[in-house]
Amino acid sequence: MGEILNISLIWSAVRLSTPLVLAALGGMFAERAGVINIALEGMMLAGAFTAAAVTYTTGSPWIGLTAGVAAGLAIAWVHAVASIRYRADQVVTGTAINILMIGVPGFLSGALFLSSGSTPQIPKEHLVPWTPIVMAFAAVPISWYVLYRTPFGLRLRAVGENPEAADAAGIRVAAVRYIGVLLSGAFAALGGAYLSIGQSSLFTRNMTSGRGFIALAALIFGKWRPVQTMFACLFFGFTEAITIRMQGVVKLPSGEDIPVQFIQMVPYLLTIVVLAGFIGHSRPPRALGRPYQKER
Amino acid sequence: MIELRNISKRFGAVQANDHVSIKVEPGTIHAIVGENGAGKSTAMRIAYGFYTADAGEILIDGQVRRIGSPQDAIALGIGMVHQHFMLVDTMTVADNIVLGAEPGSPLSLDLQEADIRIRALSAEFRLSVDPHARIEDLSVGQQQRVELLKALYRKARLLILDEPTAVLTPQEVEEFFGILRGMRKQGKTIVIITHKLAEVLALSDDVTVMRDGKVVGRVETKETSAAELARLMVGRDVLLHVHKPEAKPGAQVLGVRNLSVKTAAGAKPVDNVTFEVRAGEIVGVAGVEGNGQTELVEALAGLVDPLRVSGDVDLEGQSLSGMNPRRRRERGIAHIPEDRHRRGLLLEFALTENAILGVHYRRPITMLPGDAVLDDGEIRRRTVDIIKRFDVRPPNPDLPARALSGGNQQKLVIGREFELNPKLLLVSQPTRGVDIGAIEFIHDKLVKLRDGGCAVLLVSAELEEVMSLSDRLLILHKGRIAGEVNPQVATAAEVGLLMTRGH
Amino acid sequence: GQQSYASDDRSKPRVGIVFDIGGKDDRSFNAAAWNGVRCAETGKWPDGKDCGRPGFGITLRDVEPGTPVNIEPGMRAFAERKYDLIIGIGFAQAPIIETVARDYPDIHFAIVDGVSDLPNVASLVFKEHEGSYLVGILSAMTTKTNTLGFIGGMDIGLIHRFAKGFEQGAKSVNPNIRVIENYVGVTDAAWNNPGKGKELALSQIAKGADVIFPAAGNSGLGAFDAVEDMGRDASGRATHFVIGVDSNMNMLKPGFVLTSMLKRVDNAVYQITRDVVNKQFKPGLHVFGLESDGVGYAIDENNKDLLSPEAIRAAEEAKKKIIAGEIKVTDAMFQ
Amino acid sequence: MFFPVVAVLAAFLVGGVFILAIGESPLQTYSLLIGSALWWPDGIGYTLFLATPLIFTGLAVSVAFRAGLLNIGAEGQLYVAAFATAWVGIVFANLPAAVLVPLCCTAAVAAGAMWGAIPGILKARFGSHEVINTIMLNFIAVAFVSYLTQYHYRTPGDAILETAPIGANAHIPRLARFIPGFPERIPLNVAFLLALVCCALVYFFLWHTKWGYELRATGSNPSAAEYGGISIRRQIVLAMAISGGLAGMVGINEVLGYRHRYYDGFSDNYGFTGIAVALLGRNHPVGVVLAALLFAVLTRGGVPVDAFTQHVTKDIVQILQATIILFVAAEALFREGLRRWVKF
Ligand SMILES: Nc1ncnc2c1ncn2[C@@H]1O[C@H](COP(=O)(O)OP(=O)(O)OP(=O)(O)O)[C@@H](O)[C@H]1O
Ligand SMILES: Nc1ncnc2c1ncn2[C@@H]1O[C@H](COP(=O)(O)OP(=O)(O)OP(=O)(O)O)[C@@H](O)[C@H]1O
Ligand SMILES: [Mg+2]
Ligand SMILES: [Mg+2]
């Protein structure tokens, strides 16, 4: 047990949650504005690749982070234009962006680093192992404040719940939704950047490996609220950290190892159980997924 | 104050407004009346910048103004209370009122300030409502006050009210008119759309009548009468009072004993109710919105989780308890729900598919093999039949239900339920938002059904309606039956007291 | 120019290579294969450095299938154009190469990590377990905590080969040494998850491991970061080490990489290409073990001070014995 | 129909600019792409073969969507189903084909349906959101199946995760068997026909049976459906089960028709691509087929493009794919464009 439950577990959990927290908060801003964002995966990949590539070439993680966020904004802008301005189905657009972001890094890495889908390793001194963690957990109370204590937050929530009402109250629905989606791009990209220049030291093909979807799950899990969502992410982080430590330590009664596949199932099984047992129904923003358009 | 000049607007095939011109004098209350689909809401939504007109112009205080969006309208001092409220249910009253015009800095929303200003307004216009309540917990009457406060908070000089009284009880209506008159005194201008001619006569200074997207008349209220207005609206004479032969009640059809409904929260919207409905009679249920009518009907229709219902309900002596809606339909219960959009219709679906909801699974709608396949021919026949007999307009079975105006949607639902020729009809708010022509028609149909030997349980917030239609009238107060009266002899005042005071 | 690229001229011998799902950039055996064919084409590594062997000016085309269903079309794309040599990378392609080779008996095929006995297919297989055995010994002789870590990408036979060989080698030095065996994931995403790789390495370090042997593609690079984070002691020597895999990774984090378990796929494909160019293609099994330096461990200026002479001596001992057949290293794949 | 086509063309145009930018000839690249995807027999053959799983997953997602559910779990459902198919094919290998093949197909559908029903039940029973549960079940499915493969059904000596081969009686014929001059090497098999049949069935089910009506009613307005005597809970479970069953049929194509064993990671994210296929196809079977074909053409054509152009890699093909999805989804762009263009 001592090999599983120890201080290093805490830090491991925090590191593993950080990208999720950032991505999930991002997802929150988009979905609270009524725009589904299953493109978190793609937006993270955009941030991860750009941050790594730029940091490697400039030698400055700060420029790298900034570039990563910029990339996230760019991708988010595509999502926004397609699904807000042109009322494309938000799920389709999201899927398209996820596919796009499996292709684009591959292509660019080929052009930049004679590689097909990954960047060279970045020297340790150019990494930012801590800043994104701080940002992530600082972002939670800030997001809470923005959402519940500022005019913008009020409008964002209104637009996601009942765009007609917001419109009637004289709010530019599209504008608010744009901001929400762009924010989600920035956050998700930051989360991705942490993966490539914080937690590890390079970008590799599809390195998010599903974290975008876990973040989405955490967002729903957290009922689209900042603090609950953070706890949902920590939940995922902890279970993964624990399973990492369980491998080869926890034995079957028969004394042999539990097959690793089962250990790796634990977080997901646990989620389902917790969801069914304790959280139950979580009500999405009413207008989620509905493009807003009135006969003009 | 405001003038619409030759406003035209078409939606696809429908010419909703056709050179509509309306002039509203400052400091007056101006009524707009017309049948369902006449184009009243459209015209006013254009004035509020919600739709943009295809042609025509809008003048404010004599100058032509471009109103491209609600922002513009608000800036010009126009406020609108929409037919379907424009409120965010999950937010508080205060949130909804300040939304878009928030006090405080962009960096911090000053809710105290909001609170103070809202309370000030409520006091000034006698619109009492708790700023911290959540909209979804409020009665429609209170929600309406919120809508008014929203407009006033934005310093509206012109208030457009689209069928504001459709959902109010008589008491609320009186109170509400008081408020409007008060506003007029304070120099505000008011445009009110309504189907209730009595209200028009009681409240307004001038009236504009619309039909088929056109303005067919403008009269001064004091120089007109209900009959004249009705004729202008419908284009023919209308019976404003139900012609109803004496009821010949038969055997008991519905028996309700000690029925109670509990909510998940533990409240008891229906509390130990006992009554019966016999064949060939209409039993009315009057009551202020939110005193258990909805829950009562839904419980009888089987739409409430059986675990939350206690007491026994029987139909022709056989117990219904624990039966799901389908079984109850099969036993001969038809149900016209109070909210046709939420319950009654599949708005995206064609009229044909709406016409079979509830019987879609059995003969003659289905056919071999295995009664699994829908018989399109039969469905179409049925739909066309309903459209004919209930005069649904436009008579095109392939339109989506959404494309019909409120009144016609209601006729479709009623037609569908009548098709079942039921033993018991549960009907809530049958004429809400429906024009007088249709009201006359629906009332007539209900009476005919009764005379055909059907037991009818009628719930309506329209005191006039329940009193004129029912043979016996139950008054529901706080989920209990506060009393039963004979509508022929009882006065509106007595009933009103029972409704509000419970004794 | 692209013109000549699209319509590849037939004067030169033409070689097509179909990579595994990992793609030519997996820093592992795909990458090594790519190095080999590029060297055979130009005499240079992909990064432009001289590979110390002559190039043959062949026409080289490659396909990265990205998904299993694209492997066969890729292979056929070359076959239909009558290429001289078609190289398939990875065990997964064995059955596919068999079917295609049957359809085109007069084309030469080579499969890396796979076996086929068709007359026009050369099977290039490696004894990863033997190489792993040797780095196991080196690790066991280096560890101060008697605890080693192994990180596999996925829990599959190919990787068990590395794991069991490594463990057996280590135990041959010290029977009660502990080898912590972890795996990254269960989907092919597991080869591209350096973050998780690092976390696994850190957890192994927390459990006392001070030498870690990752065989997890790009995920393994996380282990490199992990040991680097552990830093150096007063004497300036790293406190924890990592072992490179497949190709020589000693230069990635000099001082922290104890050694690299080499799997010379580059040699193998270079040789088979050369044979085809010289019309000396030999079908059947080409086994690359310690004897032929097909597998081994890397010692260069980056790590020569990290390994004790005794360690190296022990490894060389074992190497001789294995070649002589005195030591049998179990091949976990066939268990 | 018109605007989607315009959208696709526009996407190709954008892609062309891209290709030009990296110094290749768009014309050459596209002729290579389309040509190799459509030439008889191999091009067509493989394109249809690649379209098959996408038709299944596309249908799966649409059925769920018609019931108002977003099934992100097709990926997991088809993994489980594919394994179940293989398992039956291995365990009952010596049953006669006439019995074994239907048995395997049933296994595929049943396993998929079961895996799909789980999130359905969870939603109906506990109201927990299907999107989370389907995502979770994706990971669980892949892990569970790879365990079974690795520890119970792997042939010793296999370096990778795949089961032992299924019995020959379980193989379903390739279309070469029926089409003269169509080479046996092309893996296109009767599963493709099955996919088309499923399209017809799904169409009939949704719009001409009472069950389809109830399913769509639930998706369109649950409380109205409830009022109409439809049990929403049952519909949710039913829809997810059908959806899963359709996704599961991918296993028939993969295991019985192509690889004749369960092969881990065989899915090229069919489940996720199915979301795009479904919604691009406007959740209508015909649209689904068209969308699936479009994707298949790009995947098939991508291989030669990757091989025989200097700079255009499979990544660019993926980028092109994404661009097409975006443009078709944002069709309004072209409608408005046209309207504006007509004005002046
Ligand atoms: N169109 C897409 N939308 C979202 N995620 C996708 C898409 N295509 C691929 N993915 C990847 O699918 C993975 C999540 O699903 P899951 O891992 O369960 O299926 P998978 O087939 O194993 O995927 P992978 O093979 O990439 O691991 C993530 O790695 C995600 O990046
Ligand atoms: N958004 C819309 N899209 C399509 N048609 C519409 C739309 N809004 C209104 N219509 C049509 O325009 C006509 C006028 O509608 P409008 O709502 O103005 O009538 P109304 O006078 O308000 O009727 P009611 O008394 O039922 O509210 C109707 O035929 C209606 O079907
Ligand atoms: Mg109206
Ligand atoms: Mg996969």
Side-chain angles (χ1 to χ4, degrees):
Chain A
M1 271 300 108
E3 284 204 332
I4 297 176
L5 302 172
N6 49 37
I7 187 69
S8 78
L9 169 75
I10 310 287
W11 286 118
S12 174
V14 169
R15 286 191 300 267
L16 288 163
S17 339
T18 297
L20 300 179
V21 171
L22 286 165
L25 283 181
M28 183 188 72
F29 280 108
E31 303 217 329
R32 271 313 188 92
V35 181
I36 298 177
N37 193 350
I38 70 164
L40 288 173
E41 186 88 8
M43 294 174 174
M44 289 177 87
L45 285 167
F49 174 75
T50 317
V54 172
T55 306
Y56 177 78
T57 38
T58 63
S60 154
W62 307 114
I63 303 180
L65 277 181
T66 321
V69 170
L73 287 171
I75 295 301
W77 181 78
V78 174
H79 188 41
V81 172
S83 56
I84 300 169
R85 170 83 176 76
Y86 294 110
R87 301 181 305 276
D89 183 290
Q90 297 162 3
V91 175
V92 183
T93 322
T95 312
I97 285 174
N98 286 328
I99 296 175
L100 189 68
M101 280 305 117
I102 296 172
V104 170
F107 163 68
L108 291 178
S109 66
L112 299 171
F113 311 111
L114 301 161
S115 141
S116 69
S118 66
T119 66
Q121 255 187 316
I122 299 162
K124 184 166 188 275
E125 55 277 15
H126 293 163
L127 300 177
V128 278
W130 290 109
T131 326
I133 298 182
V134 178
M135 287 172 145
F137 288 91
V140 174
I142 295 174
S143 305
W144 177 87
Y145 181 85
V146 170
L147 207 55
Y148 296 106
R149 289 288 178 273
T150 67
F152 169 71
L154 181 65
R155 296 173 178 204
L156 189 84
R157 287 181 287 133
V159 161
E161 285 291 333
N162 185 345
E164 291 80 7
D167 189 349
I171 290 169
R172 290 186 178 70
V173 174
V176 175
R177 286 191 164 180
Y178 265 93
I179 298 175
V181 174
L182 287 176
L183 277 175
S184 80
F187 274 99
L190 203 55
Y194 171 70
L195 285 177
S196 64
I197 65 172
Q199 194 179 22
S200 58
S201 60
L202 79 164
F203 175 88
T204 71
R205 175 174 290 275
N206 195 10
M207 77 185 292
T208 48
S209 55
R211 287 180 180 86
F213 288 91
I214 298 295
L216 186 64
L219 174 61
I220 301 169
F221 207 151
K223 302 191 168 181
W224 289 270
R225 301 202 190 102
V227 179
Q228 285 95 319
T229 301
M230 174 193 71
F231 281 118
C233 295
L234 281 169
F235 169 84
F236 283 115
F238 257 100
T239 45
E240 186 170 16
I242 288 176
T243 52
I244 280 175
R245 280 157 180 73
M246 276 166 64
Q247 278 195 40
V249 175
V250 181
K251 307 276 182 189
L252 291 169
S254 63
E256 50 194 310
D257 286 348
I258 298 174
V260 59
Q261 290 85 350
F262 284 106
I263 292 181
Q264 279 165 337
M265 274 185 219
V266 171
Y268 312 118
L269 279 172
L270 222 54
T271 309
I272 292 178
V273 173
V274 173
L275 202 61
F278 308 97
I279 312 299
H281 179 77
S282 57
R283 193 190 61 75
R286 280 228 176 83
L288 187 58
R290 266 203 292 116
Y292 178 59
Q293 155 207 29
K294 57 188 172 196
E295 307 73 4
R296 279 227 172 271
Chain B
M1 168 69 205
I2 186 170
E3 176 175 2
L4 276 60
R5 271 196 201 153
N6 295 321
I7 295 288
S8 293
K9 175 74 176 176
R10 80 181 293 114
F11 294 108
V14 190
Q15 186 70 41
N17 279 179
D18 182 359
H19 295 85
V20 169
S21 298
I22 302 173
K23 193 163 191 302
V24 180
E25 305 300 339
T28 65
I29 297 182
H30 190 108
I32 300 180
V33 297
E35 288 184 278
N36 295 115
K40 309 181 291 294
S41 299
T42 304
M44 288 304 114
R45 283 166 159 251
I46 288 171
Y48 188 62
F50 225 73
Y51 297 158
T52 46
D54 304 336
E57 55 191 19
I58 300 175
L59 288 75
I60 305 291
D61 301 327
Q63 294 137 321
V64 176
R65 297 299 195 127
R66 201 193 143 279
I67 302 181
S69 71
Q71 291 99 298
D72 302 346
I74 292 168
L76 288 165
I78 304 174
M80 179 163 180
V81 176
H82 297 261
Q83 191 168 357
H84 305 287
F85 291 158
M86 293 284 188
L87 295 170
V88 184
D89 308 16
T90 51
M91 292 187 181
T92 67
V93 170
D95 288 344
N96 273 277
I97 292 175
V98 300
L99 180 62
E102 301 84 354
S105 76
L107 283 186
S108 97
L109 174 62
D110 187 344
L111 286 171
Q112 287 77 355
E113 170 66 15
D115 214 57
I116 295 161
R117 279 161 66 177
I118 292 168
R119 292 189 189 285
L121 276 175
S122 331
E124 182 180 354
F125 294 96
R126 312 209 321 283
L127 292 164
S128 63
V129 49
D130 167 17
H132 301 297
R134 274 158 59 98
I135 297 296
E136 55 194 357
D137 303 334
L138 297 184
S139 75
V140 274
Q142 293 168 304
Q143 292 188 13
Q144 182 148 54
R145 296 195 201 125
V146 179
E147 283 280 23
L148 286 172
L149 284 169
K150 239 167 90 185
L152 295 168
Y153 184 88
R154 288 166 173 68
K155 308 215 167 10
R157 298 176 297 133
L158 168 65
L159 273 172
I160 301 170
L161 312 172
D162 193 346
E163 299 190 26
T165 57
V167 292
L168 298 187
T169 59
Q171 281 72 17
E172 285 173 316
V173 171
E174 264 324 304
E175 196 179 338
F176 180 65
F177 284 179
I179 295 162
L180 295 187
R181 295 199 183 90
M183 291 179 175
R184 177 171 53 185
K185 261 198 210 68
Q186 280 154 318
K188 302 217 181 275
T189 312
I190 294 166
V191 176
I192 180 167
I193 298 174
T194 177
H195 290 294
K196 299 173 189 169
L197 301 180
E199 297 178 351
V200 175
L201 298 171
L203 186 69
S204 67
D205 303 307
D206 313 275
V207 188
T208 297
V209 184
M210 291 184 69
R211 193 196 317 154
D212 303 337
K214 299 190 194 60
V215 171
V216 293
R218 183 178 195 283
V219 292
E220 281 195 30
T221 310
K222 51 174 145 29
E223 289 159 10
T224 185
S225 70
E228 183 195 3
L229 287 175
R231 199 176 318 106
L232 276 169
M233 279 170 64
V234 190
R236 60 177 168 84
D237 286 305
V238 187
L239 308 170
L240 294 173
H241 286 290
V242 195
H243 151 70
K244 180 153 123 307
E246 189 57 33
K248 302 179 201 58
Q252 166 180 328
V253 173
L254 175 70
V256 178
R257 248 168 275 82
N258 313 99
L259 180 70
S260 294
V261 177
K262 275 193 289 318
T263 64
K268 256 195 177 186
V270 177
D271 188 357
N272 197 12
V273 167
T274 302
F275 66 90
E276 61 159 26
V277 183
R278 283 174 288 145
E281 73 171 344
I282 298 178
V283 173
V285 176
V288 177
E289 197 87 354
N291 275 265
Q293 302 95 315
T294 309
E295 292 78 4
L296 173 62
V297 172
E298 298 228 318
L300 295 177
L303 291 167
V304 180
D305 177 354
L307 301 173
R308 300 210 272 105
V309 182
S310 64
D312 11 313
V313 177
D314 61 57
L315 188 73
E316 295 182 323
Q318 288 158 315
S319 169
L320 296 176
S321 23
M323 263 189 211
N324 62 31
R326 179 172 297 193
R327 297 278 158 277
R328 295 186 190 223
R329 267 223 165 67
E330 288 166 351
R331 289 302 183 79
I333 299 182
H335 175 199
I336 296 165
E338 64 176 9
D339 183 339
R340 49 185 173 258
H341 284 188
R342 191 171 147 273
R343 281 279 191 210
L345 291 167
L346 303 159
L347 289 170
E348 281 71 30
F349 283 24
L351 301 192
T352 45
E353 292 190 301
N354 275 288
I356 59 169
L357 183 60
V359 292
H360 58 273
Y361 63 95
R362 55 170 140 122
R363 302 279 178 125
I365 303 305
T366 59
M367 56 186 183
L368 292 169
D371 270 343
V373 183
L374 298 174
D375 181 343
D376 294 338
E378 174 58 31
I379 294 172
R380 183 160 296 270
R381 233 171 287 122
R382 192 188 185 88
T383 315
V384 172
D385 180 52
I386 294 175
I387 290 176
K388 271 212 208 64
R389 298 209 286 108
F390 288 81
D391 176 44
V392 178
R393 275 175 286 168
N396 172 357
D398 299 317
L399 279 181
R402 183 179 290 299
L404 267 53
S405 74
N408 286 298
Q409 289 175 343
Q410 187 69 358
K411 289 190 225 161
L412 178 70
V413 174
I414 292 174
R416 178 183 67 207
E417 297 305 304
F418 275 45
E419 277 288 303
L420 303 170
N421 41 39
K423 300 196 180 85
L424 170 68
L425 176 68
L426 306 170
V427 45
S428 302
Q429 322 297 355
T431 59
R432 176 169 287 176
V434 169
D435 67 54
I436 51 171
I439 291 175
E440 174 196 21
F441 181 86
I442 291 170
H443 285 176
D444 181 56
K445 287 283 183 188
L446 283 172
V447 173
K448 286 216 170 55
L449 188 73
R450 177 200 75 170
D451 296 343
C454 175
V456 179
L457 183 70
L458 167 69
V459 176
S460 172
E462 299 283 344
L463 196 47
E464 193 193 328
E465 179 169 74
V466 270
M467 293 200 52
S468 55
L469 274 181
S470 354
D471 305 306
R472 293 191 292 129
L473 182 58
L474 307 172
I475 291 90
L476 215 53
H477 180 260
K478 296 215 165 83
R480 296 168 168 281
I481 292 183
E484 172 177 344
V485 301
N486 175 346
Q488 272 73 359
V489 297
T491 68
E494 304 168 30
V495 177
L497 277 180
L498 282 168
M499 284 168 64
T500 43
R501 295 227 317 275
H503 54 77
Chain C
Q2 57 207 219
Q3 193 51 21
S4 67
Y5 200 96
S7 61
D8 31 44
D9 69 72
R10 294 158 175 285
S11 64
K12 297 188 267 174
R14 295 175 304 158
V15 178
I17 179 168
V18 180
F19 290 102
D20 195 15
I21 310 307
K24 71 173 91 147
D25 198 52
D26 66 344
R27 287 181 170 75
S28 175
F29 65 114
N30 284 293
W34 182 233
N35 291 343
V37 285
R38 286 303 296 277
C39 176
E41 177 192 20
T42 59
K44 293 184 168 45
W45 298 127
D47 61 16
K49 295 207 192 69
D50 183 19
C51 70
R53 279 166 291 185
F56 309 112
I58 53 168
T59 304
L60 175 64
R61 299 288 178 263
D62 70 285
V63 166
E64 289 183 282
T67 138
V69 286
N70 281 344
I71 293 172
E72 186 163 348
M75 214 159 270
R76 290 191 182 279
F78 294 126
E80 282 148 10
R81 288 173 167 73
K82 298 270 170 290
Y83 267 49
D84 303 278
L85 172 63
I86 300 173
I87 307 174
I89 309 299
F91 193 103
Q93 306 199 5
I96 296 169
I97 226 168
E98 284 238 328
T99 52
V100 180
R102 254 190 219 92
D103 295 340
Y104 300 90
D106 48 2
I107 294 181
H108 302 307
F109 291 84
I111 170 85
V112 172
D113 281 351
V115 182
S116 158
D117 41 23
L118 290 180
N120 57 332
V121 180
S123 313
L124 319 177
V125 295
F126 298 79
K127 297 186 180 169
E128 296 91 350
H129 44 298
E130 293 182 355
S132 306
Y133 187 93
L134 297 190
V135 296
I137 292 177
L138 293 172
S139 313
M141 302 281 291
T142 310
T143 178
K144 297 199 175 63
T145 60
N146 282 337
T147 312
L148 308 177
F150 175 85
I151 299 176
M154 291 169 75
D155 182 14
I156 59 176
L158 188 66
I159 298 305
H160 295 165
R161 238 192 193 163
F162 293 82
K164 293 288 167 283
F166 181 67
E167 183 172 8
Q168 200 181 350
K171 293 237 152 102
S172 75
V173 175
N174 170 356
N176 43 26
I177 202 164
R178 178 180 176 200
V179 180
I180 306 167
E181 188 179 324
N182 289 166
Y183 293 93
V184 177
V186 292
T187 71
D188 45 17
W191 308 107
N192 280 304
N193 198 344
K196 178 110 180 246
K198 184 176 182 181
E199 288 299 334
L200 282 164
L202 289 172
S203 78
Q204 294 180 337
I205 290 169
K207 292 172 187 169
D210 60 353
V211 182
I212 296 174
F213 179 34
N218 286 323
S219 305
L221 296 172
F224 285 65
D225 297 332
V227 296
E228 189 181 25
D229 287 356
M230 290 299 116
R232 305 167 181 273
D233 62 20
S235 68
R237 177 182 168 90
T239 58
H240 298 71
F241 297 98
V242 65
I243 294 175
V245 68
D246 288 347
S247 47
N248 184 349
M249 300 181 168
N250 294 1
M251 77 296 298
L252 282 186
K253 303 258 182 219
F256 292 94
V257 188
L258 188 63
T259 177
S260 297
M261 196 292 275
L262 298 177
K263 175 181 173 184
R264 302 305 303 272
V265 178
D266 52 344
N267 287 354
V269 296
Y270 179 89
Q271 282 166 28
I272 200 73
T273 313
R274 185 191 57 208
D275 296 351
V276 169
V277 172
N278 307 342
K279 310 261 178 300
Q280 294 166 342
F281 175 85
K282 286 192 299 307
L285 213 53
H286 301 232
V287 180
F288 298 84
L290 292 170
E291 66 284 355
S292 56
D293 281 328
V295 296
Y297 58 92
I299 295 192
D300 56 25
E301 63 286 351
N302 292 310
N303 70 330
K304 57 182 184 317
D305 315 335
L306 304 180
L307 292 160
S308 66
E310 306 74 51
I312 297 179
R313 209 173 306 118
E316 288 304 320
E317 282 295 307
K319 182 174 175 179
K320 291 199 194 65
K321 290 212 172 102
I322 295 171
I323 294 173
E326 293 161 36
I327 299 180
K328 287 260 164 292
V329 184
T330 44
D331 181 346
M333 222 159 77
F334 292 90
Q335 291 181 326
Chain D
M1 200 55 243
F2 170 68
F3 285 100
V5 174
V6 176
V8 173
L9 295 181
F12 272 92
L13 222 64
V14 172
V17 176
F18 209 67
I19 295 169
L20 211 56
I22 60 170
E24 293 273 357
S25 132
L27 268 174
Q28 239 169 21
T29 312
Y30 285 144
S31 53
L32 193 57
L33 183 90
I34 307 296
S36 46
L38 297 185
W39 67 279
W40 179 266
D42 293 62
I44 296 280
Y46 265 97
T47 302
L48 296 183
F49 170 67
L50 293 172
T52 310
L54 296 181
I55 296 178
F56 284 127
T57 52
L59 284 177
V61 175
S62 348
V63 169
F65 208 86
R66 287 282 176 184
L69 300 161
L70 178 54
N71 178 9
I72 305 192
E75 190 78 2
Q77 290 144 17
L78 61 89
Y79 264 95
V80 173
F83 184 86
T85 321
W87 182 81
V88 174
I90 294 166
V91 175
F92 304 100
N94 19 17
L95 289 176
V99 183
L100 186 51
V101 170
L103 198 63
C104 289
C105 297
T106 320
V109 176
M114 184 210 65
W115 204 254
I118 296 173
I121 293 166
L122 288 168
K123 188 183 181 102
R125 175 80 183 70
F126 303 103
S128 45
H129 202 296
E130 79 273 8
V131 166
I132 309 185
N133 285 331
T134 47
I135 292 173
M136 296 303 134
L137 284 164
N138 280 344
F139 290 98
I140 294 171
V142 179
F144 181 57
V145 166
S146 65
Y147 158 75
L148 291 172
T149 316
Q150 174 60 28
Y151 288 91
H152 299 293
Y153 295 96
R154 181 175 72 99
T155 37
D158 238 341
I160 50 168
L161 274 184
E162 59 182 11
T163 64
I166 60 173
N169 291 349
H171 298 192
I172 56 177
R174 300 188 163 192
L175 289 193
R177 184 85 57 85
F178 314 105
I179 305 169
F182 198 73
E184 179 66 30
R185 63 169 176 275
I186 295 171
L188 179 63
N189 59 74
V190 291
F192 173 69
L193 305 180
L194 182 62
L196 296 183
V197 173
C198 285
C199 287
L201 289 179
V202 166
Y203 171 81
F204 187 81
F205 171 82
L206 282 179
W207 282 281
H208 292 286
T209 69
K210 59 182 182 189
W211 302 302
Y213 175 88
E214 298 192 333
L215 191 148
R216 289 183 298 120
T218 309
S220 157
N221 179 352
S223 32
E226 189 186 18
Y227 157 89
I230 299 165
S231 154
I232 297 167
R233 291 161 176 242
R234 189 179 302 134
Q235 288 309 312
I236 290 174
V237 178
L238 181 73
M240 284 306 290
I242 295 174
S243 182
L246 285 162
M249 292 197 189
V250 171
I252 299 172
N253 180 56
E254 165 70 18
V255 176
L256 307 187
Y258 178 47
R259 229 179 284 267
H260 303 316
R261 49 156 42 102
Y262 170 80
Y263 173 93
D264 180 73
F266 70 89
S267 163
D268 178 17
N269 283 310
Y270 295 137
F272 294 96
T273 318
I275 300 171
V277 170
L279 293 152
L280 275 189
R282 304 283 189 265
N283 295 305
H284 190 288
V286 177
V288 165
V289 174
L290 294 175
L293 285 173
L294 179 61
F295 279 68
V297 165
L298 290 166
T299 318
R300 161 62 181 174
V303 175
V305 168
D306 180 14
F308 303 111
T309 62
Q310 199 151 13
H311 308 292
V312 186
T313 62
K314 66 172 195 299
D315 302 309
I316 305 233
V317 177
Q318 223 153 12
I319 294 172
L320 188 61
Q321 215 175 52
T323 321
I324 290 179
I325 303 176
L326 277 174
F327 278 20
V328 177
E331 223 185 80
L333 168 64
F334 303 98
R335 295 189 188 283
E336 293 186 11
L338 185 74
R339 210 176 296 127
R340 230 178 270 110
W341 192 73
V342 168
K343 272 214 181 94
F344 311 118

